Amino acid sequence: MSFRIIHVEDSEMQTIITERVLEKHLSDKEDYIYRKCGTITQAIDMLQEGCLDIILLDLMLPDSRGVASVQKIKTVCPETPIIVLTADDDLEVAKSCIRAGADAYLWKSDMKTLPLVVLLIIEKWELRHEQKQMMDRYISIVEDTPDWIIRFTPEGIITFANKSSLEGMKETIENVIGKPVDNYLQSDQSEAHLETIERITPDNPHVAGNTMWMNGHLIQWRKSGIYTSRRRLKEVQAIGK
């Protein structure tokens, strides 16, 4: 995978040192291009090109200083990894940069760790990218299925409804979220619905539900409990055919 390392640094000597360290320890492991610029403004212009980038960021620049530099880059490109590379060893500054979205905070006096940090950030980016692809596939399946999928809290407040269920109920997602699921049941079905929910337990999270009429559709439901790590019922997912 090819990517760019954009080094935002106004010291020519520091960029020479950094480029040599990367060439020595990274060039045989990754396919990358090293680019340098002296201001945040120039860095943001480069980021607009839409490449896969890693930012090496100094905190003392002509047009930006401190944690504000991290914030400016994250505002434009929130997914771009940032490694703060600075002479500032103030712990509070380091914490502020991490809170603002920086992925790592390195001192210029400890350059030998930079290649390893870059490799780890690439690994983290690839993992995050794979997870996003999996989530996108999951969302596509959920939205494209003809089955109705509705999620609600133990108190019966709807938290999610897929496209098929919204079309069947003749509703929009904005109107459904936050409404009681009872609003879409016939009055004589509420008790059977509650009885099904009561049968869901951490050891028996999947329960075949009742066949119910909803907005003129006869739906066979299967309900599943979504639990926290402490076995507390967080949500119920109902899948209807």
Side-chain angles (χ1 to χ4, degrees):
M1 177 184 65
S2 179
F3 62 96
R4 295 188 307 179
I5 295 175
I6 297 179
H7 192 182
V8 194
E9 170 65 68
D10 60 341
S11 167
E12 184 67 24
M13 180 60 67
Q14 184 62 44
T15 59
I16 292 171
I17 293 171
T18 303
E19 186 171 14
R20 288 178 179 173
V21 168
L22 293 172
E23 284 180 354
K24 182 177 180 180
H25 299 286
L26 194 64
S27 59
D28 61 336
K29 299 180 179 65
E30 293 290 341
D31 179 21
Y32 72 93
I33 299 170
Y34 178 82
R35 298 276 301 276
K36 58 187 177 183
C37 60
T39 66
I40 283 290
T41 302
Q42 292 171 340
I44 290 174
D45 287 342
M46 288 184 182
L47 288 169
Q48 304 287 6
E49 296 171 12
C51 298
L52 168 58
D53 300 309
I54 293 176
I55 303 295
L56 305 183
L57 181 63
D58 184 34
L59 295 181
M60 300 293 287
L61 298 165
D63 60 344
S64 184
R65 297 199 169 203
V67 69
S69 298
V70 178
Q71 294 167 339
K72 288 175 183 177
I73 289 180
K74 283 297 179 181
T75 297
V76 176
C77 296
E79 301 301 319
T80 298
I82 297 176
I83 300 172
V84 174
L85 190 59
T86 179
D88 192 338
D89 61 358
D90 189 310
L91 180 59
E92 292 306 314
V93 173
K95 288 180 179 179
S96 296
C97 287
I98 296 300
R99 292 191 192 105
D103 295 82
Y105 191 96
L106 298 182
W107 296 335
K108 292 177 180 178
S109 59
D110 195 22
M111 290 290 293
K112 65 180 182 295
T113 62
L114 177 60
L116 175 60
V117 172
V118 170
L119 289 171
L120 292 176
I121 285 178
I122 293 169
E123 187 72 19
K124 178 182 177 182
W125 185 92
E126 289 179 337
L127 179 60
R128 189 164 54 196
H129 184 64
E130 290 173 3
Q131 291 173 336
K132 183 180 184 304
Q133 287 182 320
M134 291 175 62
M135 181 58 69
D136 289 343
R137 286 196 294 269
Y138 170 76
I139 292 172
S140 176
I141 291 169
V142 168
E143 290 297 343
D144 292 342
T145 180
D147 295 341
W148 292 24
I149 301 177
I150 299 173
R151 292 181 71 156
F152 48 89
T153 67
E155 296 75 29
I157 303 301
I158 297 174
T159 58
F160 172 80
N162 73 337
K163 184 169 67 174
S164 293
S165 63
L166 292 171
E167 290 174 351
M169 292 187 291
K170 296 181 175 59
E171 280 283 16
T172 64
I173 191 68
E174 293 79 13
N175 287 340
V176 165
I177 299 300
K179 298 288 182 61
V181 71
D182 277 358
N183 286 9
Y184 303 96
L185 300 176
Q186 293 183 3
S187 57
D188 60 345
Q189 295 177 337
S190 295
E191 186 175 343
H193 165 70
L194 291 174
E195 184 273 332
T196 304
I197 303 302
E198 289 172 358
R199 288 193 283 121
I200 296 175
T201 68
D203 298 317
N204 182 38
H206 308 292
V207 176
N210 306 79
T211 300
M212 298 181 176
W213 286 96
M214 291 186 69
N215 281 40
H217 298 271
L218 187 62
I219 308 292
Q220 174 65 51
W221 291 101
R222 177 178 174 82
K223 296 170 184 174
S224 301
I226 310 298
Y227 285 86
T228 67
S229 58
R230 297 185 178 183
R231 295 166 66 89
R232 181 179 65 84
L233 183 61
K234 181 180 179 181
E235 284 185 311
V236 176
Q237 179 170 279
I239 300 179
K241 293 184 179 294

